[in-house]
Amino acid sequence: MSNKVREVRLKKNITQTKLAEMAKISRPYLADIEKGDSNPSAQIAISIAKALGTTVEAIF
């Protein structure tokens, strides 16, 4: 799955560690999502989108 999580995170000047904390996931898991190595569940995708202040559709 292609995603824009890293792009949006960097535009908002948020570290992987901070975003992972905000989304209540581990930093390595977030890194895997950003690289496209892992596909998040719908609930995790929603958590990431909320933490970034955007929609799931905008980042995935």
Side-chain angles (χ1 to χ4, degrees):
M1 175 188 323
S2 175
N3 70 71
K4 297 182 181 180
V5 176
R6 183 175 191 273
E7 179 183 327
V8 174
R9 177 180 62 77
L10 292 175
K11 282 183 183 175
K12 294 183 178 272
N13 200 30
I14 299 172
T15 65
Q16 274 189 344
T17 301
K18 182 65 178 171
L19 179 56
E21 288 172 1
M22 293 165 64
K24 296 181 172 73
I25 60 174
S26 71
R27 195 216 45 85
Y29 182 44
L30 176 60
D32 285 346
I33 292 169
E34 286 187 352
K35 291 185 291 184
D37 292 343
S38 285
N39 291 324
S41 67
Q43 188 59 46
I44 297 295
I46 291 167
S47 295
I48 293 169
K50 282 184 181 178
L52 289 171
T54 191
T55 64
V56 172
E57 295 81 10
I59 57 173
F60 290 101

